Amino acid sequence: MTTNLIPPAIIFILGAVLIPVLKGKIKSVYMLLIPVVAGYVLMNLSHGNTWVYQFWGYELILGRIDKLSMVFGIIFTLMAFLGILFALKVEDNLQHVSGIIYAGATLGVVFAGDFLSLYIFWEIMAVSSTFLVLAARTKEAKESGFRYILQHIIGGLFLLAGIMLYYKNNGTLAFDYIGLNDTGSYFIFIGVALNAAAIPLHAWLPDAYPNGTPTSTVFLSAFTTKSAVYMLARTFYGTELLIWIGAFMVFVPIFYAVIENDIRRVLAYSLLNQIGFMLVGIGIGSELAINGAVAHAFCHILYKGLLFMSAGAVLQMTGKIKCTEIGGLYKT
């Protein structure tokens, strides 16, 4: 019975606890088994609500299973496996624990059926991803990590305020379509848009991502923005404002990417550009447009992750990441 299975998010989060006490091949196999077990649970889920709990008079739904949540759940689990595989040779428990908790919290957001449990996972996601930025342990990483968490705290506060107003006006915490129609919905929209790096709330992404480690950046590129895309597809599809924001994002960041010299910063601006296409599709709101946006997000997680892996491999082997400093790289 699916009700006896542990939620995929909890498998990741609890699984991360044992990582610091394990060593060698056992540790590597254990880390790879975490997304494998979570994937097995996902493949055995049936549509509907599961893992429903009562908490202080509120109904918490940790497993709202439908086509939209399953698509994102599958790709996030797959990307977690690939990211862990890429990071196996890294001897840094901070990165391993933070990355796996980060992936689990993202799955918690995707399968949440109420705003309260969603907000809890949303904040876990923000904190764990901050440690991935800080993992490089450089002066630049510390400074950008501080700016990163500061902006995400602000975004989280907007989301929390919006949820409280939404509950006051509607008497429910059900996580479903909202649309832009009152103050609470605008607050929620701002909180989610910040995580989607929607212009003009995008500065944290090209500031933080290029300062991570070769492996932590792979995780960062996959989860935060795409979980926000999922939330927008769930709660704000057909919102015309998203078309304008997305169209602006399609054109503006790519000019910055062209003039950048740091490979990972180029990829960060390219990431913003691609999110723009997704937001346009969600803003259009038709079935075809939503399907296109979700399919784009699915593929983008894979190919952008691969690009960040490639950039990370170059940085790891050469110690350099600027285009002007790695000429002739093809020879080696």
Side-chain angles (χ1 to χ4, degrees), residues 66-72 176-179 226 228-240 242-243 274-299:
D66 58 19
K67 292 180 180 179
L68 182 61
S69 63
M70 280 298 291
V71 168
F72 279 91
D176 221 320
Y177 177 77
I178 299 175
K226 305 314 179 302
V229 167
Y230 163 79
M231 281 192 65
L232 291 171
R234 174 77 69 185
T235 56
F236 292 103
Y237 60 86
T239 300
E240 186 177 347
L242 285 173
I243 300 177
Q274 295 301 298
I275 292 172
F277 287 103
M278 301 172 205
L279 297 191
V280 170
I282 294 170
I284 293 172
S286 66
E287 183 178 346
L288 185 61
I290 294 294
N291 287 343
V294 171
H296 189 177
F298 189 101
C299 295

Side-chain angles (χ1 to χ4, degrees), residues 12 31-33 35-36 76-86:
F12 273 90
M31 289 196 299
L32 287 173
L33 278 176
V36 170
F76 284 145
T77 304
L78 175 59
M79 193 61 219
F81 178 85
L82 296 175
I84 293 169
L85 182 64
F86 183 69

Side-chain angles (χ1 to χ4, degrees), residues 7-47:
I10 305 303
I11 292 174
F12 273 90
I13 294 172
L14 292 183
V17 175
L18 290 179
I19 291 175
V21 302
L22 300 176
K23 294 182 179 181
K25 291 184 178 180
I26 294 177
K27 182 176 184 177
S28 298
V29 172
Y30 174 78
M31 289 196 299
L32 287 173
L33 278 176
I34 292 174
V36 170
V37 172
Y40 173 79
V41 172
L42 280 181
M43 293 300 100
N44 285 277
L45 292 175
S46 55
H47 286 195

Side-chain angles (χ1 to χ4, degrees), residues 107-170:
L107 287 173
V109 168
V110 167
F111 290 112
D114 67 281
F115 274 116
L116 181 57
S117 55
L118 180 145
Y119 179 76
I120 293 171
F121 286 117
W122 190 263
E123 291 302 292
I124 296 174
M125 195 169 64
V127 174
S128 55
S129 59
T130 300
F131 281 105
L132 285 177
V133 178
L134 296 172
R137 297 176 175 85
T138 62
K139 182 175 181 293
E140 293 79 10
K142 291 177 182 178
E143 292 175 349
S144 61
F146 175 78
R147 293 189 292 269
Y148 178 92
I149 189 60
L150 186 63
Q151 293 182 71
H152 281 277
I153 286 173
I154 293 172
L157 289 174
F158 268 99
L159 178 62
L160 179 61
I163 291 172
M164 293 172 67
L165 290 171
Y166 178 79
Y167 179 74
K168 179 182 178 182
N169 294 333
N170 299 279

Side-chain angles (χ1 to χ4, degrees), residues 326-332:
I326 54 176
L329 187 65
Y330 72 95
K331 296 177 182 178
T332 56

